[in-house]
Structures are given as structure tokens and as C-alpha cells.
């Protein structure tokens, strides 16, 4: 399965800027498996597992764990701090 | 214009919004508002608001529609600024117009409390030395959760 | 100008008050306000506000000082109109400016709830047929008592 | 003891307009005795005994029962309805 991933705000400083394309192994079918997969190549990605990290999937805020589908555009978000 | 949502880098004129909201609806006895503005804090030179275009507006619209329904508002307004701003500049205006005051007052509390944790905005403080991201506050999470529980109880 | 109290027959410009309150204090991140305005109701032609000059201002000043102290406000404002007014005209503006939002939001609720039962104003509805006095509402008494109990608890 | 009395708002419609001077018997020393005294000459004044009727004494809102003194200026008030 192919997905594109972005990191927002403070996560971008730690995990990289811009959208990156990923070709996922067959057993990575949800957001939590994806985080484990990302952590294998970059230990800093383990921070994404924290429950306060939010996920935007295809321009919608989704609850985790969230199932993934081919072509998903994902954005990992630190807690929101607007207002 | 029951739900008025705007996210923009343009400065917000809170007084002009107030002028547009008051005296408009003959059935409304109450207009309540909240203005959030950049506070001088430590060595802050500017505050920058980042957001997730499209998703932000949808999140604000959903909150606004929840408030309209729950408190039978005539109007709800959320204008949020993004980009860089100086001390004293307006970050956000939230307002509600309703027949009676309790509805308007509670809706404004709800909107600003939920906005803080449910809309994808991030604050970054610029100083002379660099920048740092503002951390989410536990009290904001608790305030937002309060309304979540209220609504869950009502729906149950 | 920490406490700004005014009772007058002159029309109130809520937008101008908002302009004067926002962006004024670099330590304040929050300005909250409530505007009460004449609602079209039944055969209302005009609403008339009677008051007790001198006593009214003293009562409003006392409420304002209570709010300033309890919520550590930078500014509190109560402008109340008296005399005859038409549908849509502003009766009262209450506002509070504070470092953080909870203080500003709660202070505004407190001020308008307490004002309703603790300041000597009386509303009279003029119709084509004559006039009648507005009766006090139990919900107003309850809202005011809520704050009275809160303060009593805190002082205890 | 001499006092002056006014009735505000709806009470004025029922009990009379303007300030009236009263020469009180010696046993009338507080607001509740005054209300009983007023009721003897005008039965409608009995309405003043209701607990929601507020008293302004010498331009201060006071709690009832309130002691009275020579020269007091009193205003009986229906419940406030501002805001």
C-alpha cells in the first residue's frame, strides 16, 4: 500500500518537512502499525504513538487507531494550540 | 448568515464584527463575544499561527453548527487569524447571538474552549533568539473535555 | 481605567467600546463581552428603563470591584442605558479584559447575572395600548444566587 | 420619628407617586413595623411585606428588616429587572 505522510508544526522540526511517499509492507494496515513501521527507520517517530498526537487522513481529522487505504494522504499533528 | 467562519492572514477588526452582530436580529436580546489577542510574554517578538487549510475551516464549521443547534443561536461567528502577529493584535473572535443571555454566554465559552483543542492551529513564538512551539495546556484539554462530556450526556 | 461604569440615556455604541477595550493591555490575552439589546416581543413598541440615580452607579461599581478582585481583571466595563429605546437598541454592555480567557468569560457572566438582580433598574414595556412592567424571572434570581453562593464559599 | 417614603416602578402605580412625609408612632422602629403601619391606612401596602420587595434607605440598598432613624429617606422597590 502506498501512502503520503506529512508532519505538522513541532513534529515537522523533529521528523522532517514536506510530504514523503511510503511503500508499506502488507501487514501495515492501520495508523498504529504505520507508526511502528516508521519508528524502525527513524527512532524519533516513536513519539507519534503518544495518544495526544492527532491524525488527519485525506483532509479529515480521524480518531486513532485509524484503518489505512491505498493512496491515503496522512498528516501527523501535535496537539492543537489555536485560539 | 447563521454561521460565519473565516480563517485568514488579514488583521481582524473585532469592533467592526461587533457592529455587524448587534442590533441585527429583532428576536435576539443577547450578543456575547470573546476576543483572543497576542499577550506580551517573556521575550516574545511575534506570535505565528500555523494551520491546516481546509481542515481548519471544516472543524470550525462543525463546532459552530453544534453550538447553533445546542443553544438555538441565531448567529455564530468564528474569525481566526493565521500567520505572524504582534502583541495586542487579535488572534480570534468568537461571538454568538441568541434570544436570551445564557445561550449566548454558554455558546461563546463552548466555541472558544472546543476550538482550542479541536481545530488544527499551532502557535509558534518568535523571539530575538529564534522560535519555539507553544505547548498544549492541560487546562485547555480539561475545558474542552467538559463540553464533550456535556454533549455526550445530552445525547445519551 | 480599571472600572468603567456608566449609566446614561445616551445610545450605547458597543462596537466603539469593543475598539477601546481590545489591543490596549499587552498583558491581556482575553477580552470578553456581553451586549443586551431590546428584543421584539409581543406588541412591544418601546422598552423603557427606569433606575435609581446614584444607587445604580454605586451598585454597578461594587459588582465591578468584586469581579476585578475575584478574577484579577485588568479592566471591567458596565455601560447601561436608561430611558426609552426601540427594538435592536443596546440596553447594556458588560466587558472584562484579563490575561487568560476563563477569567474574562466568567467575569462577564457574573457581572450580567448579578446586575440583573442587584442594581435598581426596572423595565417597562410600552405598547400601542399602554404599558406594563416586566416581572422578575425566577431564572434570573437563580443565576444571581449561584454567584452569591460561589463567593460565599470562597470567602468561607 | 419622621421619615420620607417613595415607591419605585410598579409599586408607584399601586401606592402613589412622589415622596411623602410620615410621622411614625413610637413603636415603629424598623422597616417591617413601618410596612404594618402603612398597611393600616392603605391595605395595598401589605404587598410591601413580600420578601422580594427591596428597600433603599438614604441612597443605600439595605437588607430587611432594617432599623429606621429620624429623618430617613426610604424607597420601596419591586425586584430589579435591568440588564
Amino acid at each position: 500500500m502506498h501512502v503520503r505522510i506529512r508532519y505538522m508544526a513541532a513534529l515537522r522540526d523533529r521528523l522532517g518537512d514536506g510530504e514523503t511517499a511510503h511503500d508499506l509492507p502488507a501487514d501495515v494496515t492501520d495508523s498504529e502499525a504505520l507508526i511502528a513501521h516508521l519508528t524502525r527507520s527513524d527512532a524519533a517517530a516513536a513519539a507519534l504513538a503518544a495518544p495526544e498526537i492527532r491524525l488527519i487522513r485525506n483532509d479529515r481529522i480521524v480518531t486513532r487507531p485509524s484503518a489505512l487505504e491505498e493512496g491515503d494522504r496522512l498528516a501527523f499533528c501535535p496537539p492543537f494550540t489555536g485560539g | 448568515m447563521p454561521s460565519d467562519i473565516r480563517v485568514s492572514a488579514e488583521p481582524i477588526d473585532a469592533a467592526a464584527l461587533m457592529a455587524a452582530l448587534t442590533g441585527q436580529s429583532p428576536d435576539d436580546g443577547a450578543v456575547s463575544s470573546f476576543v483572543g489577542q497576542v499577550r506580551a510574554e517573556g521575550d516574545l517578538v511575534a506570535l505565528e499561527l500555523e494551520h491546516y487549510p481546509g481542515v481548519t475551516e471544516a472543524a470550525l464549521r462543525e463546532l459552530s453548527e453544534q453550538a447553533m443547534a445546542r443553544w438555538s443561536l441565531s448567529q455564530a461567528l468564528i474569525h481566526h487569524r493565521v500567520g505572524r502577529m504582534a502583541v495586542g493584535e487579535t488572534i480570534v473572535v468568537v461571538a454568538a447571538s441568541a434570544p436570551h443571555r445564557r445561550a449566548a454566554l454558554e455558546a461563546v465559552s463552548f466555541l472558544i474552549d472546543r476550538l482550542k483543542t479541536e481545530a488544527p492551529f499551532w502557535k509558534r513564538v518568535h523571539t530575538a533568539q529564534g522560535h519555539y512551539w507553544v505547548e498544549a495546556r492541560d487546562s485547555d484539554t480539561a475545558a474542552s473535555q467538559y463540553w464533550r462530556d456535556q454533549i455526550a450526556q445530552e445525547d445519551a
Side-chain angles (χ1 to χ4, degrees), chain A residues 82-83, chain B residues 1-21 32-37 49 51 56-57 59-61 63-64 75-83 85 89-96 108 111-112 115 119 121:
Chain B
M1 187 181 62
S3 237
D4 179 1
I5 303 298
R6 186 170 183 184
V7 178
S8 160
E10 294 297 310
I12 296 177
D13 183 344
L17 294 178
M18 188 55 68
L21 274 168
S32 187
S33 78
F34 175 82
V35 177
Q37 54 195 17
L49 263 289
H51 77 128
T56 324
E57 291 85 346
L60 298 182
R61 189 162 299 282
L63 292 179
S64 170
Q75 292 188 71
L77 175 148
I78 309 174
H79 284 203
H80 202 297
R81 191 168 169 195
V82 292
M85 49 205 100
E89 288 195 87
T90 296
I91 306 167
V92 63
V93 174
V94 163
V108 165
L111 287 170
I112 188 65
L115 180 159
F121 291 106

Side-chain angles (χ1 to χ4, degrees), chain B:
Chain B
M1 187 181 62
S3 237
D4 179 1
I5 303 298
R6 186 170 183 184
V7 178
S8 160
E10 294 297 310
I12 296 177
D13 183 344
L17 294 178
M18 188 55 68
L21 274 168
T22 53
Q24 297 305 306
S25 166
D27 294 329
D28 284 358
V31 177
S32 187
S33 78
F34 175 82
V35 177
Q37 54 195 17
V38 181
R39 194 173 53 240
E41 223 176 349
D43 49 0
L44 177 146
V45 169
L47 187 70
E48 186 184 358
L49 263 289
E50 176 177 331
H51 77 128
Y52 194 116
V55 180
T56 324
E57 291 85 346
L60 298 182
R61 189 162 299 282
E62 189 181 331
L63 292 179
S64 170
E65 281 163 12
Q66 284 176 15
M68 297 281 298
R70 183 181 159 95
W71 285 282
S72 303
L73 306 179
S74 309
Q75 292 188 71
L77 175 148
I78 309 174
H79 284 203
H80 202 297
R81 191 168 169 195
V82 292
R84 210 176 153 106
M85 49 205 100
V87 169
E89 288 195 87
T90 296
I91 306 167
V92 63
V93 174
V94 163
S97 182
H100 295 285
R101 78 180 182 289
R102 192 54 49 201
L105 291 166
E106 287 192 1
V108 165
S109 278
F110 166 87
L111 287 170
I112 188 65
D113 283 348
R114 292 290 286 163
L115 180 159
K116 293 245 171 196
T117 69
E118 297 310 309
F121 291 106
W122 297 275
K123 284 201 187 92
R124 179 148 67 156
V125 172
H126 290 271
T127 70
Q129 286 74 45
H131 70 80
Y132 61 89
W133 294 96
V134 171
E135 302 243 348
R137 294 163 56 197
D138 289 345
S139 59
D140 288 341
T141 309
S144 183
Q145 187 63 38
Y146 166 82
W147 290 113
R148 203 180 172 118
D149 293 345
Q150 290 287 309
I151 284 175
Q153 272 175 33
E154 203 154 88
D155 290 349

Side-chain angles (χ1 to χ4, degrees), chain A:
Chain A
M1 172 159 61
H2 300 83
V3 299
R4 287 173 290 161
I5 297 176
R6 290 169 66 192
Y7 301 110
M8 306 303 295
L11 288 176
R12 185 175 59 229
D13 294 352
R14 291 161 66 184
L15 295 169
D17 197 3
E19 200 171 73
T20 52
H22 298 256
D23 186 6
L24 304 181
D27 61 341
V28 176
T29 60
D30 76 6
S31 55
E32 309 316 295
L34 171 60
I35 292 166
H37 172 73
L38 294 169
T39 304
R40 282 193 282 276
S41 47
D42 180 354
L48 300 176
E52 65 268 24
I53 301 296
R54 310 281 288 265
L55 180 61
I56 295 174
R57 179 178 168 235
N58 303 327
D59 289 340
R60 294 178 67 94
I61 302 170
V62 294
T63 52
R64 288 173 43 199
S66 171
L68 301 180
E69 290 188 14
E70 172 64 28
D72 275 355
R73 286 170 44 244
L74 304 169
F76 285 99
C77 304
F80 306 151
T81 57

